[in-house]
Amino acid sequence: MSDFFEVFGLERRLAIDVAALQRRFYELSRRWHPDFHQAAAPAEQARALEESARVNAAYRALRDPLARVEYLIRLEEGRATREGAVVKPKAPPALLAEMFEIQEALEARGDSLDDGTRATLTVQRDALRARMAEAEAQIAGPLSRAWDAAAAADRPAALAALKDALATRAYLRTVIDDLANALGEGTEETHVANRRD
Amino acid sequence: MAYSEKVVDHYNNPRNVGSFTKDTPGVGTGLVGAPECGDVMKLQIKVNLETGVIEDARFKTFGCGSAIASSSLATEWLKGKTVDEAAKIKNTDIVNELKLPPVKIHCSVLAEDAIKAALADYKEKQAPQTAGAASQ
């Protein structure tokens, strides 16, 4: 089966013209829209439904630069889900220790927060958000360009750098979510949904 | 997601939550994270320096029910084992015991990583003392 880049006739590269991708998505959506295949034989109707679903999934995976990186990693490692990474990404040990300490302190505060505590947590959350934005900019910018530019032999290293940066982002995001929860706010929009389930 | 009874039990009554002072002789500390979800787990062992047996273990996990249950179970299993025996605990043992579904296997991997990190930290702390004793 074709991969999501191939669905749109694209090479396996992280630099994508999103406007062109969207135009192609609309074209393919029209071509395979089940409404236009109602008169066709059942086998063709089924095919249209399947292609239509595939085009949608491919567009979701590729339109966002970070989702695109996550998809590329799965594709390169030949796995269908986030489980079973071949090489475990490494976030800096100092980051882990820092995130653990913030979580521990947060837990010790309990449920009722006074105004001073709220202010402190808000400052902490905003600082972490800024760091997460920086990590995301690195992933979508220089690290993505480095993968595109890498010769075949250098691609594993470029991919590993992307994975490490995504891991850093995941740790930051989790703590930001937990701080936001403690402050009684909604959490970041996340595709790591229902983490606590 | 439906949790197995054992996961629910460990989640509601986690065993050995807490921590040891990092610098205490015989204490090994492992701090690991799951980049899939951002969970962090700290697992510590306290080894009897005479016998090499793990006398006590503690954990603290900020994560989902499966991650908490995996580390809670790990501390139970660690107690009474020698350092070498402890190194043989595999994530698949935890998966089987807790009946973790495929999407939660990384939680058991995290617990195995934490055990390995705690053992490595313990051994690293012992190494200089051994070297010192040899030179005396």
Side-chain angles (χ1 to χ4, degrees), chain A residues 48-130:
Chain A
L49 199 60
E50 204 174 284
E51 292 288 345
S52 177
R54 187 152 179 81
V55 165
N56 274 297
Y59 185 58
R60 270 200 309 276
L62 296 187
R63 69 178 165 185
D64 172 70
L66 297 177
R68 196 182 305 153
V69 171
E70 289 177 334
Y71 174 69
L72 175 83
I73 291 169
R74 291 200 297 274
L75 192 60
E76 287 288 317
E77 295 188 337
R79 61 199 165 93
T81 68
R82 290 189 299 134
E83 290 290 322
V86 181
V87 181
K88 266 202 118 182
K90 287 185 237 28
L95 178 78
L96 271 190
E98 185 192 358
M99 295 304 109
F100 191 88
E101 275 163 29
I102 295 173
Q103 294 277 21
E104 221 171 16
L106 191 61
E107 187 189 56
R109 288 184 195 279
D111 288 337
S112 57
L113 307 177
D114 60 37
D115 288 350
T117 306
R118 292 188 69 85
T120 308
L121 293 184
T122 304
V123 169
Q124 198 171 34
R125 183 206 56 197
D126 291 348
L128 291 173
R129 273 188 183 161

Side-chain angles (χ1 to χ4, degrees), chain B:
Chain B
M1 180 187 306
Y3 278 131
S4 74
E5 265 174 48
K6 281 180 179 161
V7 171
V8 173
D9 181 36
H10 276 281
Y11 182 76
N12 289 330
N13 311 291
R15 289 29 153 206
N16 312 309
V17 175
S19 58
F20 302 126
T21 311
K22 222 173 171 310
D23 303 328
T24 309
V27 167
T29 303
L31 177 62
V32 296
E36 295 88 348
C37 51
D39 288 356
V40 283
M41 177 183 291
K42 185 166 87 172
L43 189 146
Q44 293 180 299
I45 52 171
K46 189 188 267 178
V47 182
N48 181 319
L49 295 174
E50 304 277 306
T51 61
V53 170
I54 297 168
E55 289 187 325
D56 208 352
R58 294 269 190 280
F59 84 95
K60 203 159 200 186
T61 295
F62 297 101
C64 68
S66 299
I68 290 166
S70 294
S71 39
S72 171
L73 176 67
T75 56
E76 275 198 320
W77 280 355
L78 284 168
K79 284 201 237 180
K81 282 197 165 63
T82 65
V83 170
D84 290 338
E85 286 167 353
K88 290 180 191 144
I89 296 174
K90 291 273 166 277
N91 85 291
T92 43
D93 303 333
I94 295 168
V95 171
N96 292 334
E97 175 70 16
L98 296 176
K99 299 182 175 59
L100 295 178
V103 295
K104 290 295 179 180
I105 286 172
H106 69 266
C107 300
S108 68
V109 174
L110 191 60
E112 186 189 320
D113 287 351
I115 293 171
K116 291 218 171 82
L119 291 170
D121 182 56
Y122 163 76
K123 284 181 179 160
E124 199 176 310
K125 278 168 79 176
Q126 297 315 111
Q129 289 170 21
T130 315
S135 68
Q136 276 169 12

